[in-house]
Amino acid sequence: MRQGFTHTIAGKGEGSAASFEVINPATGEAFALCPDATREQLDRAVAAARQAFPAWRRTTQEQRREMLRAFGEAVRARTDEIAELLTREQGKPLQRAKEEIQRSLVNLAGILATKLENEVLRDDARGRVELQHHPLGVIGAITPWNVPILLAMPKIAQALYTGNTIVLKPSPYTPLTTLLLGEIAREHFPPGVVNILAGGNDFGRWMTEHLGIDKISFTGSVATGKRVMASAAGTLKRVTLELGGNDAAIVLDDVDVKAVAPKLFWASFGNSGQICQAIKRLYVHEKIYDELCAALVAIAGTVKVGEGFEEGVLIGPVQNKMQYDRVLELLADTKRQPGVRILCGGDALPRPGYFIAPTIVADIREGTRLVDEEPFGPVLPVIRFSDADDAIRRANDTRFGLAGSVWSSDEARAKTLAEQLEVGTAWINHHLGVEPDVPFGGFKESGIGREYGADGLKHYSEIRAVSRPIIPPRPAAAPGAKP
């Protein structure tokens, strides 16, 4: 049982009297103990962040950029160590864990290349008005278990780059790699600027209620996001919520099935389907429906599912027992639906851990739980349509609105349809991929606010208008007059 992990509070490592087990989803057994932070430790972390804030916000943007760059390079130097731990606690294949760390560093670099400058609203006869972006203070960040490093790094970067300090809580399912980030951060930032503590669900509520935290940046489920917003309302905290997405891809009848099938498969089953903007509903035109279904099933038959350190594994387990049980429950409900066909998979694999075979479901419609809810696992419903406008209507008929895509050999046709999707990100002939210079977030219940890009950075600051009237010139003095 691995031990020795510590929180980062005021620039120092610190344990807790209590701890909780961290489960390896490939075995279903605990492999490490994580310290369980107390409310008193949170109070001290927030106090340290508040104490560090005045000096930190006075640093220049370039100074903050250089410290964040050095932090990123230190993370890069420990990629192998972090990736090994990430595979054990999250379950993804080791190579995918390394790629997650690499992508987080690409996003860090992109954030640091983004400019957030004051804007002159007007400068005319009425006067000059300048809009300034003022840091909020202490950011409370809460990250999920599906891509813990990929989501922790940009929250740290955006908070610090805009002059804020941060208190970050990782998911209790995957806390250890994020605690390692805190360990690295101690060597690169003044004490109190970065604080990372692990704890259970109560810890998240303590954060959202805390008087000393000025904003919550949360990534997770819709249900939890609503609780975060309700809790934060008591202190009128600013919130950014990047929530779930039951994202649709619409495939028109003119695509090259062989060319698009692998792209659609991995946009659905990457990370075992545990990506918020992954394809969760695949709408396929009736003319190519059977052909595309067959192509997806063929790909699924070649993919090795297993423990992340096994040679050739491409899909790992569902990350935790609660999510595993939920996906199996949705599959059981799906099997009871009349006329629905399970083309491949459909069951748990007969081995330890939380493994479910990649599952493709055909002849299913809206009104079933698998289509209407977000499964967040290796299960893909494939839905038949005959009219593209009807497919758009059906794709939009949901409380979700994170992302979506349209696939066609006619790019102009695809663009016309994609612009009708009620989503924060609409892709054409591809799906997945958050870019650090492009704002990301959702419509409807898929979130509030944006991360990334200049718009994302603005959500980590408050706008202050500085207004200065034009001072009329003094009249010239009369000749011989005393000054």
Side-chain angles (χ1 to χ4, degrees):
M1 189 79 70
R2 295 174 65 168
Q3 302 183 48
F5 298 95
T6 56
H7 315 292
T8 296
I9 302 173
K12 296 180 180 178
E14 186 172 314
S16 294
S19 60
F20 57 88
E21 293 182 336
V22 181
I23 305 298
N24 181 343
T27 64
E29 297 179 352
F31 77 98
L33 288 177
C34 179
D36 191 358
T38 65
R39 191 159 196 163
E40 184 273 337
Q41 286 178 306
L42 172 62
D43 288 341
R44 286 194 288 107
V46 173
R50 296 214 71 81
Q51 184 176 0
F53 173 61
W56 181 251
R57 71 177 174 183
R58 286 195 297 270
T59 60
T60 66
Q61 195 173 79
E62 185 55 35
Q63 288 173 322
R64 298 194 291 267
R65 183 184 289 118
E66 288 307 311
M67 279 186 268
L68 282 161
R69 281 176 178 160
F71 170 63
E73 288 308 307
V75 170
R76 189 188 309 278
R78 295 177 66 173
T79 292
D80 290 344
E81 174 191 2
I82 298 170
E84 183 270 336
L85 186 58
L86 180 56
T87 292
R88 293 200 187 280
E89 69 173 353
Q90 202 281 334
K92 64 188 58 183
L94 181 61
Q95 182 57 36
R96 299 294 178 264
K98 292 179 180 180
E99 290 170 3
E100 177 175 334
I101 297 164
Q102 292 161 3
R103 287 199 305 271
S104 76
L105 296 173
V106 170
N107 287 346
L108 171 64
I111 289 166
L112 299 183
T114 303
K115 293 184 178 180
L116 184 61
E117 299 176 331
N118 295 337
E119 306 164 47
V120 176
L121 190 61
R122 72 166 184 254
D123 190 1
D124 55 24
R126 295 173 295 168
R128 178 184 173 91
V129 178
E130 184 179 60
L131 297 183
Q132 300 177 346
H133 303 286
H134 193 276
L136 291 165
V138 177
I139 306 298
I142 303 174
T143 54
W145 45 259
N146 58 328
V147 279
I149 298 298
L150 190 60
L151 288 169
M153 285 288 283
K155 290 185 189 296
I156 294 170
Q158 291 175 108
L160 270 57
Y161 188 47
T162 49
N164 301 283
T165 55
I166 192 169
V167 176
L168 188 149
K169 172 198 174 298
S171 166
Y173 290 120
T174 54
L176 303 179
T177 47
T178 309
L179 290 182
L180 279 188
L181 292 185
E183 180 184 310
I184 297 169
R186 295 171 209 162
E187 305 299 320
H188 292 277
F189 302 106
V193 171
V194 176
N195 306 272
I196 298 178
L197 299 88
N201 292 329
D202 285 344
F203 193 91
R205 178 174 53 81
W206 299 340
M207 287 179 66
T208 57
E209 294 174 349
H210 205 291
L211 289 171
I213 292 178
D214 300 289
K215 170 192 168 75
I216 294 290
S217 173
F218 171 81
T219 302
S221 71
V222 171
T224 305
K226 289 179 178 180
R227 292 196 294 272
V228 166
M229 190 171 184
S231 180
T235 52
L236 286 181
K237 284 181 178 58
R238 287 11 180 192
V239 294
T240 296
L241 306 175
E242 195 259 279
L243 307 180
N246 197 16
D247 297 344
I250 298 173
V251 185
L252 303 182
D253 58 350
D254 59 355
V255 300
D256 180 339
V257 170
K258 289 183 179 179
V260 303
K263 299 175 184 178
L264 293 167
F265 183 90
W266 288 112
S268 305
F269 290 97
N271 202 33
S272 299
Q274 300 168 125
I275 302 174
C276 56
Q277 75 269 32
I279 297 173
K280 311 288 181 21
R281 296 175 292 152
L282 183 60
Y283 288 86
V284 179
H285 194 277
E286 61 184 5
K287 289 183 179 179
I288 59 167
Y289 186 86
D290 291 334
E291 183 185 359
L292 182 54
C293 284
L296 294 172
V297 170
I299 295 169
T302 67
V303 172
K304 184 176 180 180
V305 179
E307 195 263 345
F309 296 104
E310 294 177 25
E311 187 70 27
V313 163
L314 295 176
I315 293 180
V318 174
Q319 199 283 320
N320 59 78
K321 182 66 162 57
M322 182 177 68
Q323 188 63 25
Y324 172 77
D325 288 342
R326 169 174 161 73
V327 175
L328 290 179
E329 178 193 1
L330 286 173
L331 284 173
D333 178 79
T334 299
K335 292 173 183 178
R336 292 191 292 267
Q337 303 301 320
V340 169
R341 293 183 293 146
I342 306 293
L343 300 182
C344 64
D347 297 294
L349 296 180
R351 58 177 293 170
Y354 309 136
F355 292 94
I356 297 174
T359 301
I360 296 171
V361 181
D363 298 335
I364 190 168
R365 286 186 59 88
E366 298 84 2
T368 58
R369 290 185 61 196
L370 183 62
V371 174
D372 293 351
E373 301 179 19
E374 181 187 21
F376 217 67
V379 183
L380 178 65
V382 187
I383 308 159
R384 192 187 306 262
F385 74 88
S386 59
D387 177 78
D389 291 333
D390 181 57
I392 290 289
R393 179 192 62 77
R394 293 160 68 184
N396 286 337
D397 188 17
T398 175
R399 62 193 179 97
F400 298 100
L402 188 60
S405 60
V406 178
W407 301 69
S408 172
S409 61
D410 184 341
E411 188 172 309
R413 181 187 181 199
K415 180 175 182 292
T416 298
L417 292 171
E419 289 173 348
Q420 299 175 50
L421 289 171
E422 296 169 355
V423 295
T425 300
W427 289 292
I428 298 169
N429 291 327
H430 71 112
H431 196 112
L432 285 184
V434 174
E435 300 175 271
D437 57 341
V438 179
F440 184 78
F443 281 25
K444 299 185 254 189
E445 291 190 11
S446 284
I448 292 175
R450 292 293 183 269
E451 301 272 10
Y452 305 104
D455 288 292
L457 292 177
K458 288 176 183 178
H459 282 278
Y460 284 82
S461 60
E462 199 71 85
I463 291 177
R464 174 173 55 199
V466 178
S467 180
R468 187 185 71 204
I470 294 294
I471 301 174
R474 297 177 61 183
K482 294 182 180 180

